[in-house]
Coordinates of all heavy atoms in Angstrom, one line a residue:
N154 N 0.8 3.3 -12.6 CA 0.0 2.1 -12.7 C -1.1 2.3 -13.6 O -2.2 3.0 -13.4 CB -0.5 1.9 -11.2 CG -1.3 0.5 -11.2 OD1 -1.0 -0.4 -11.9 ND2 -2.3 0.4 -10.3
G155 N -1.1 1.5 -14.8 CA -2.0 1.7 -15.8 C -2.0 3.2 -16.3 O -1.0 3.6 -16.8
N156 N -3.1 3.9 -16.2 CA -3.2 5.3 -16.6 C -3.1 6.3 -15.4 O -3.4 7.4 -15.6 CB -4.5 5.5 -17.4 CG -4.5 4.8 -18.7 OD1 -3.5 4.7 -19.3 ND2 -5.7 4.4 -19.2
T157 N -2.7 5.7 -14.2 CA -2.6 6.7 -13.1 C -1.1 7.0 -12.8 O -0.3 6.0 -12.6 CB -3.2 5.9 -11.9 OG1 -4.7 5.6 -12.2 CG2 -3.2 6.8 -10.6
F158 N -0.9 8.2 -12.7 CA 0.5 8.7 -12.3 C 0.3 9.2 -10.9 O -0.6 10.1 -10.6 CB 0.9 9.9 -13.2 CG 2.2 10.5 -12.8 CD1 3.4 9.7 -13.3 CD2 2.4 11.6 -12.1 CE1 4.6 10.3 -12.9 CE2 3.6 12.1 -11.8 CZ 4.7 11.5 -12.3
T159 N 1.1 8.6 -10.0 CA 1.0 9.0 -8.5 C 2.4 9.2 -8.0 O 3.4 8.6 -8.2 CB 0.5 7.6 -7.8 OG1 -0.8 7.3 -8.3 CG2 0.2 8.1 -6.3
I160 N 2.3 10.2 -7.1 CA 3.6 10.6 -6.3 C 3.4 10.4 -4.9 O 2.3 10.7 -4.3 CB 4.0 12.1 -6.6 CG1 4.3 12.3 -8.1 CG2 5.2 12.5 -5.7 CD1 4.6 13.8 -8.4
Y161 N 4.3 9.6 -4.2 CA 4.3 9.3 -2.8 C 5.4 10.1 -2.1 O 6.4 10.2 -2.6 CB 4.5 7.8 -2.5 CG 3.3 7.0 -3.2 CD1 3.4 6.4 -4.4 CD2 2.2 6.7 -2.4 CE1 2.5 5.6 -4.9 CE2 1.2 5.9 -2.9 CZ 1.4 5.3 -4.2 OH 0.3 4.6 -4.6
E162 N 5.0 10.6 -0.9 CA 6.0 11.2 -0.1 C 6.0 10.5 1.3 O 4.9 10.4 1.9 CB 5.7 12.8 0.2 CG 6.7 13.4 1.0 CD 6.5 14.9 1.1 OE1 5.7 15.5 0.3 OE2 7.2 15.5 1.9
N163 N 7.2 9.8 1.6 CA 7.2 9.2 2.8 C 6.0 8.1 2.9 O 5.5 7.8 4.0 CB 7.2 10.0 4.1 CG 8.3 10.9 4.2 OD1 9.5 10.5 3.8 ND2 8.1 12.1 4.6
G164 N 5.7 7.4 1.8 CA 4.8 6.3 1.7 C 3.3 6.8 1.7 O 2.5 5.9 1.6
V165 N 3.1 8.1 1.6 CA 1.7 8.5 1.6 C 1.4 9.3 0.1 O 2.2 10.0 -0.3 CB 1.5 9.7 2.6 CG1 0.0 10.2 2.6 CG2 1.6 9.0 4.0
N166 N 0.4 8.9 -0.5 CA 0.0 9.5 -1.7 C -0.3 10.9 -1.6 O -1.2 11.3 -0.8 CB -1.3 8.7 -2.2 CG -1.9 9.3 -3.5 OD1 -1.6 10.4 -3.9 ND2 -2.6 8.5 -4.3
V167 N 0.5 11.8 -2.2 CA 0.3 13.2 -2.2 C -0.4 13.7 -3.4 O -0.9 14.8 -3.3 CB 1.6 14.0 -1.9 CG1 2.2 13.6 -0.5 CG2 2.7 13.7 -2.9
V168 N -0.2 13.0 -4.5 CA -1.1 13.5 -5.7 C -1.2 12.2 -6.6 O -0.4 11.4 -6.8 CB -0.3 14.6 -6.4 CG1 1.0 14.2 -7.0 CG2 -1.2 15.3 -7.5
S169 N -2.4 12.2 -7.2 CA -2.7 11.1 -8.3 C -3.4 11.9 -9.4 O -4.3 12.7 -9.2 CB -3.5 10.0 -7.8 OG -2.9 9.1 -6.9
Q170 N -3.0 11.5 -10.6 CA -3.6 12.1 -11.8 C -4.0 10.9 -12.8 O -3.1 10.1 -13.0 CB -2.7 13.0 -12.5 CG -3.2 13.7 -13.7 CD -4.3 14.7 -13.4 OE1 -4.2 15.4 -12.3 NE2 -5.2 14.8 -14.3
T171 N -5.2 10.9 -13.2 CA -5.5 9.9 -14.1 C -6.0 10.3 -15.5 O -6.2 9.7 -16.4 CB -6.9 9.1 -13.6 OG1 -7.9 10.0 -13.3 CG2 -6.4 8.3 -12.3
Q172 N -6.1 11.7 -15.7 CA -6.5 12.3 -16.9 C -5.4 13.2 -17.4 O -4.7 13.9 -16.6 CB -7.8 13.0 -16.9 CG -8.9 12.1 -16.5 CD -10.3 12.9 -16.3 OE1 -10.3 14.1 -16.4 NE2 -11.3 12.2 -16.1
N173 N -5.2 13.3 -18.7 CA -4.2 14.2 -19.2 C -2.8 14.1 -18.6 O -2.1 15.0 -18.5 CB -4.7 15.7 -19.1 CG -6.0 15.8 -19.8 OD1 -6.3 15.3 -20.8 ND2 -6.9 16.6 -19.1
V174 N -2.4 12.9 -18.4 CA -1.0 12.6 -18.0 C -0.1 12.6 -19.1 O -0.2 11.7 -20.0 CB -0.9 11.3 -17.1 CG1 0.5 11.1 -16.8 CG2 -1.8 11.4 -15.9
T175 N 0.9 13.5 -19.2 CA 1.8 13.5 -20.3 C 3.2 13.7 -19.7 O 3.5 14.6 -19.0 CB 1.5 14.7 -21.2 OG1 0.2 14.6 -21.7 CG2 2.6 14.8 -22.4
L176 N 4.0 12.7 -20.0 CA 5.4 12.8 -19.5 C 6.2 13.2 -20.8 O 6.0 12.6 -21.9 CB 5.9 11.5 -19.0 CG 5.1 11.0 -17.7 CD1 5.6 9.6 -17.2 CD2 5.3 12.0 -16.6
V177 N 7.1 14.1 -20.7 CA 7.7 14.7 -21.8 C 8.6 13.5 -22.4 O 9.5 12.9 -21.8 CB 8.6 15.8 -21.4 CG1 9.4 16.4 -22.5 CG2 7.7 16.9 -20.8
N178 N 8.6 13.5 -23.8 CA 9.5 12.7 -24.5 C 10.5 13.6 -25.1 O 10.3 14.3 -26.1 CB 8.7 11.9 -25.8 CG 9.6 11.0 -26.5 OD1 10.7 10.8 -26.1 ND2 9.0 10.5 -27.5
S179 N 11.6 13.6 -24.5 CA 12.7 14.6 -24.9 C 14.0 14.0 -25.1 O 14.3 12.9 -24.4 CB 12.7 15.7 -23.8 OG 13.7 16.5 -23.9
S180 N 14.9 14.6 -25.8 CA 16.2 14.1 -26.0 C 17.1 14.8 -24.7 O 18.3 14.5 -24.6 CB 16.8 14.5 -27.3 OG 16.8 16.0 -27.4
A181 N 16.6 15.8 -24.1 CA 17.3 16.4 -22.9 C 17.5 15.3 -21.8 O 16.6 14.5 -21.5 CB 16.6 17.5 -22.4
P182 N 18.6 15.4 -21.1 CA 18.8 14.4 -20.0 C 18.0 14.7 -18.9 O 17.5 15.8 -18.6 CB 20.3 14.7 -19.7 CG 20.6 16.1 -20.0 CD 19.7 16.3 -21.3
L183 N 17.6 13.6 -18.2 CA 16.9 13.7 -16.9 C 17.7 14.4 -15.9 O 18.9 14.1 -15.7 CB 16.6 12.2 -16.4 CG 15.9 12.2 -15.0 CD1 14.5 12.8 -15.1 CD2 15.9 10.8 -14.5
T184 N 17.1 15.4 -15.2 CA 17.8 16.1 -14.1 C 17.0 16.0 -12.9 O 15.8 16.0 -12.8 CB 18.0 17.6 -14.5 OG1 16.7 18.1 -14.8 CG2 18.9 17.8 -15.8
I185 N 17.8 15.9 -11.8 CA 17.3 15.8 -10.4 C 18.0 16.9 -9.7 O 19.2 16.9 -9.5 CB 17.5 14.4 -9.8 CG1 16.6 13.3 -10.7 CG2 17.0 14.4 -8.4 CD1 16.9 11.9 -10.3
G186 N 17.3 17.8 -9.0 CA 17.9 18.8 -8.2 C 18.0 20.1 -8.9 O 18.6 21.1 -8.4
R187 N 17.5 20.2 -10.2 CA 17.4 21.5 -10.9 C 16.3 21.4 -11.9 O 15.9 20.3 -12.3 CB 18.7 21.9 -11.5 CG 19.1 21.1 -12.8 CD 20.3 21.6 -13.4 NE 20.6 21.0 -14.6 CZ 21.5 21.3 -15.5 NH1 22.4 22.3 -15.2 NH2 21.6 20.7 -16.6
A188 N 16.0 22.6 -12.4 CA 14.8 22.7 -13.4 C 15.4 22.4 -14.8 O 15.7 23.4 -15.4 CB 14.2 24.0 -13.3
G189 N 15.5 21.2 -15.2 CA 15.8 20.8 -16.5 C 17.2 21.4 -16.8 O 18.2 21.2 -16.1
D190 N 17.4 22.0 -18.0 CA 18.6 22.5 -18.5 C 18.8 24.0 -18.0 O 19.8 24.6 -18.5 CB 18.7 22.6 -20.1 CG 18.9 21.2 -20.6 OD1 19.3 20.3 -19.8 OD2 18.4 20.9 -21.7
Y191 N 17.9 24.5 -17.2 CA 18.0 25.9 -16.7 C 19.1 26.0 -15.6 O 18.9 25.5 -14.4 CB 16.7 26.4 -16.2 CG 15.6 26.3 -17.2 CD1 14.6 25.4 -17.2 CD2 15.6 27.3 -18.3 CE1 13.7 25.3 -18.2 CE2 14.7 27.2 -19.3 CZ 13.7 26.3 -19.2 OH 12.8 26.2 -20.2
N192 N 20.1 26.7 -15.9 CA 21.2 26.9 -14.9 C 20.7 27.9 -13.8 O 20.0 28.9 -14.2 CB 22.4 27.4 -15.4 CG 23.2 26.3 -16.2 OD1 23.1 25.1 -15.8 ND2 23.8 26.6 -17.3
G193 N 21.0 27.8 -12.6 CA 20.5 28.8 -11.5 C 19.3 28.4 -10.8 O 18.9 29.0 -9.8
Y194 N 18.5 27.3 -11.2 CA 17.3 26.9 -10.6 C 17.6 25.6 -9.9 O 17.1 24.6 -10.3 CB 16.1 26.8 -11.5 CG 15.7 28.1 -12.2 CD1 16.2 28.5 -13.4 CD2 14.8 28.9 -11.5 CE1 15.7 29.7 -14.0 CE2 14.4 30.1 -12.0 CZ 14.8 30.5 -13.3 OH 14.5 31.7 -13.8
Y195 N 18.3 25.7 -8.9 CA 18.8 24.4 -8.1 C 17.9 24.2 -6.9 O 17.6 25.2 -6.2 CB 20.2 24.5 -7.9 CG 21.1 24.6 -9.1 CD1 21.7 25.8 -9.5 CD2 21.5 23.4 -9.8 CE1 22.4 25.9 -10.7 CE2 22.2 23.5 -10.9 CZ 22.7 24.7 -11.3 OH 23.4 24.8 -12.5
Y196 N 17.8 22.9 -6.6 CA 17.1 22.5 -5.3 C 17.9 22.8 -4.2 O 19.1 22.4 -4.1 CB 16.6 21.1 -5.4 CG 16.0 20.6 -4.2 CD1 14.8 20.9 -3.7 CD2 16.7 19.6 -3.4 CE1 14.3 20.5 -2.5 CE2 16.2 19.0 -2.2 CZ 14.9 19.5 -1.8 OH 14.4 19.0 -0.7
Q197 N 17.5 23.5 -3.2 CA 18.3 23.9 -2.0 C 18.0 22.9 -0.8 O 17.2 23.3 0.1 CB 18.0 25.4 -1.6 CG 18.3 26.3 -2.7 CD 19.8 26.3 -3.0 OE1 20.7 26.4 -2.1 NE2 20.1 26.4 -4.3
G198 N 18.5 21.8 -1.0 CA 18.1 20.7 0.1 C 18.9 19.4 -0.1 O 19.8 19.4 -0.9
Y199 N 18.4 18.4 0.5 CA 19.1 17.1 0.3 C 18.0 16.0 -0.3 O 16.8 16.2 0.1 CB 19.6 16.6 1.6 CG 20.8 17.5 2.2 CD1 20.4 18.5 3.1 CD2 22.0 17.2 1.7 CE1 21.4 19.3 3.5 CE2 23.0 18.1 2.2 CZ 22.7 19.1 3.1 OH 23.7 19.8 3.7
V200 N 18.4 15.2 -1.1 CA 17.6 14.1 -1.5 C 18.3 12.8 -1.0 O 19.4 12.5 -1.3 CB 17.5 14.0 -3.0 CG1 16.7 12.8 -3.5 CG2 16.9 15.3 -3.6
Q201 N 17.6 12.0 0.0 CA 18.2 10.9 0.5 C 18.2 9.7 -0.4 O 19.1 9.0 -0.6 CB 17.5 10.5 1.8 CG 18.1 9.3 2.5 CD 17.4 9.0 3.8 OE1 16.5 9.7 4.2 NE2 17.8 8.0 4.4
E202 N 17.1 9.5 -1.1 CA 16.9 8.4 -2.0 C 15.8 8.6 -3.0 O 14.7 9.1 -2.7 CB 16.5 7.1 -1.2 CG 16.4 5.8 -2.0 CD 16.2 4.6 -1.2 OE1 16.4 4.6 0.1 OE2 15.8 3.6 -1.8
I203 N 16.1 8.3 -4.3 CA 15.2 8.5 -5.3 C 15.2 7.2 -6.1 O 16.2 6.6 -6.4 CB 15.2 9.8 -6.1 CG1 14.2 10.0 -7.0 CG2 16.6 9.7 -6.9 CD1 14.0 11.4 -7.6
R204 N 14.0 6.8 -6.6 CA 13.9 5.6 -7.4 C 13.0 5.9 -8.5 O 11.8 6.4 -8.3 CB 13.3 4.5 -6.5 CG 13.7 3.1 -6.8 CD 13.3 2.2 -5.7 NE 13.0 2.9 -4.4 CZ 12.0 2.6 -3.7 NH1 11.2 1.8 -4.0 NH2 11.8 3.3 -2.6
I205 N 13.4 5.6 -9.8 CA 12.5 5.6 -11.0 C 12.5 4.2 -11.4 O 13.5 3.6 -11.8 CB 13.2 6.7 -11.9 CG1 13.3 8.0 -11.3 CG2 12.3 6.7 -13.2 CD1 14.0 9.0 -12.1
I206 N 11.2 3.7 -11.7 CA 10.9 2.4 -12.1 C 10.2 2.6 -13.4 O 9.1 3.2 -13.4 CB 10.2 1.6 -11.1 CG1 11.1 1.5 -9.8 CG2 9.8 0.3 -11.6 CD1 10.4 0.9 -8.7
K207 N 10.6 2.1 -14.5 CA 9.9 2.1 -15.7 C 9.0 0.9 -16.0 O 9.5 -0.2 -15.8 CB 11.0 2.2 -16.8 CG 10.4 2.4 -18.2 CD 11.4 2.6 -19.3 CE 10.9 2.7 -20.6 NZ 11.9 2.8 -21.6
N208 N 7.8 1.1 -16.4 CA 6.9 0.1 -16.8 C 6.4 -0.8 -15.7 O 6.0 -2.0 -16.0 CB 7.5 -0.8 -17.9 CG 7.7 0.0 -19.2 OD1 7.0 0.9 -19.5 ND2 8.8 -0.4 -19.9
K209 N 6.5 -0.4 -14.4 CA 6.0 -1.3 -13.4 C 5.7 -0.3 -12.1 O 6.4 0.5 -11.8 CB 7.1 -2.2 -12.9 CG 6.7 -3.1 -11.8 CD 7.8 -4.1 -11.4 CE 7.3 -4.9 -10.2 NZ 8.5 -5.8 -9.7
A210 N 4.5 -0.6 -11.6 CA 4.1 0.1 -10.3 C 4.6 -0.7 -9.1 O 4.1 -1.8 -8.8 CB 2.6 0.2 -10.3
L211 N 5.6 -0.2 -8.4 CA 6.1 -0.8 -7.3 C 5.0 -0.8 -6.1 O 4.9 -1.8 -5.4 CB 7.4 -0.3 -6.8 CG 8.1 -1.0 -5.7 CD1 8.5 -2.4 -6.0 CD2 9.4 -0.1 -5.3
Y212 N 4.4 0.3 -6.0 CA 3.4 0.5 -5.0 C 2.1 1.1 -5.6 O 2.2 1.8 -6.5 CB 3.8 1.5 -3.8 CG 5.0 1.1 -3.1 CD1 6.2 1.8 -3.4 CD2 5.0 0.1 -2.2 CE1 7.4 1.4 -2.7 CE2 6.2 -0.3 -1.6 CZ 7.4 0.4 -1.8 OH 8.5 0.0 -1.2
T213 N 1.0 0.5 -5.2 CA -0.4 1.1 -5.7 C -1.2 1.6 -4.7 O -2.4 2.0 -5.0 CB -1.1 -0.2 -6.5 OG1 -1.3 -1.1 -5.6 CG2 -0.3 -0.6 -7.6
G214 N -0.7 1.8 -3.5 CA -1.4 2.5 -2.4 C -0.4 2.9 -1.3 O 0.8 2.6 -1.5
N215 N -0.9 3.5 -0.3 CA 0.0 4.0 0.8 C 0.9 2.8 1.3 O 0.4 1.7 1.3 CB -0.8 4.7 1.9 CG -1.4 6.0 1.4 OD1 -0.9 6.5 0.4 ND2 -2.3 6.6 2.2
F216 N 2.0 3.1 1.8 CA 2.9 2.0 2.2 C 3.8 2.6 3.3 O 3.9 3.8 3.5 CB 3.7 1.4 1.0 CG 4.6 2.4 0.4 CD1 5.9 2.6 0.8 CD2 4.1 3.3 -0.6 CE1 6.7 3.6 0.2 CE2 4.9 4.2 -1.2 CZ 6.2 4.4 -0.8
T217 N 4.4 1.7 4.1 CA 5.4 2.0 5.0 C 6.8 1.9 4.4 O 7.2 0.9 3.8 CB 5.4 1.0 6.3 OG1 4.1 1.1 6.8 CG2 6.4 1.3 7.3
P218 N 7.5 3.0 4.3 CA 8.8 3.0 3.6 C 9.8 2.2 4.3 O 9.8 2.0 5.5 CB 9.3 4.5 3.7 CG 8.0 5.3 4.0 CD 7.1 4.4 4.7
P219 N 10.6 1.4 3.5 CA 11.6 0.5 4.1 C 12.6 1.3 5.0 O 12.7 2.4 4.8 CB 12.3 -0.1 3.0 CG 11.8 0.6 1.8 CD 10.7 1.5 2.1
E220 N 13.0 0.6 6.1 CA 14.0 1.3 6.9 C 15.4 1.3 6.4 O 16.2 2.1 6.8 CB 13.9 0.5 8.3 CG 12.6 0.7 9.1 CD 12.6 0.0 10.3 OE1 13.7 -0.4 10.9 OE2 11.5 -0.2 10.9
K221 N 15.7 0.4 5.5 CA 17.0 0.4 4.9 C 16.9 0.6 3.4 O 15.8 0.3 2.8 CB 17.6 -1.0 5.1 CG 17.9 -1.4 6.6 CD 18.5 -2.7 6.7 CE 18.6 -3.1 8.2 NZ 19.2 -4.5 8.3
P222 N 17.9 1.1 2.8 CA 17.9 1.3 1.3 C 17.7 0.0 0.6 O 18.0 -1.1 1.2 CB 19.2 1.9 0.9 CG 19.8 2.4 2.2 CD 19.1 1.6 3.3
F223 N 17.1 0.0 -0.6 CA 16.9 -1.2 -1.4 C 18.2 -1.7 -1.8 O 19.2 -1.0 -2.1 CB 16.1 -0.9 -2.6 CG 14.6 -1.0 -2.4 CD1 14.0 0.4 -2.2 CD2 13.8 -2.0 -2.3 CE1 12.6 0.4 -1.9 CE2 12.5 -1.9 -2.1 CZ 11.8 -0.8 -1.9
A224 N 18.4 -3.1 -1.8 CA 19.5 -3.8 -2.2 C 19.5 -3.8 -3.8 O 18.4 -4.0 -4.3 CB 19.7 -5.1 -1.7
Y225 N 20.6 -3.6 -4.4 CA 20.6 -3.5 -5.9 C 21.2 -4.9 -6.4 O 22.1 -5.4 -6.0 CB 21.4 -2.4 -6.4 CG 20.7 -1.1 -6.0 CD1 21.3 -0.4 -4.9 CD2 19.6 -0.6 -6.6 CE1 20.6 0.8 -4.4 CE2 19.0 0.6 -6.2 CZ 19.5 1.3 -5.1 OH 18.9 2.4 -4.7

């Protein structure tokens, strides 16, 4: 949202950063569940739902997560 990068876990803000926010501009593919192109560094767990939204802040404060997945 603007110059603020925020991560929410279960609808609660767990970290916000407003200074020195740099997201990597890379030709490498986006990876979820492992550390970039590094083989062997895999997330040992489950991801139920992940959403990446470009150029829009869906939430700007704590929220109640929806009970059903978003319709596409």
Side-chain angles (χ1 to χ4, degrees):
N154 184 28
N156 293 328
T157 303
F158 180 80
T159 306
I160 296 176
Y161 295 92
E162 182 176 348
N163 295 322
V165 178
N166 176 340
V167 293
V168 64
S169 283
Q170 181 70 36
T171 57
Q172 297 176 357
N173 301 322
V174 175
T175 302
L176 300 177
V177 177
N178 183 7
S179 172
S180 62
L183 171 68
T184 57
I185 298 170
R187 73 174 189 174
D190 289 334
Y191 301 107
N192 288 325
Y194 293 95
Y195 297 99
Y196 173 68
Q197 300 296 314
Y199 297 95
V200 177
Q201 181 177 358
E202 183 176 338
I203 188 165
R204 210 169 340 138
I205 299 171
I206 299 169
K207 183 177 178 180
N208 296 327
K209 181 180 178 183
L211 186 59
Y212 301 108
T213 57
N215 291 345
F216 60 95
T217 300
E220 294 181 15
K221 297 179 181 179
F223 280 95
Y225 299 100

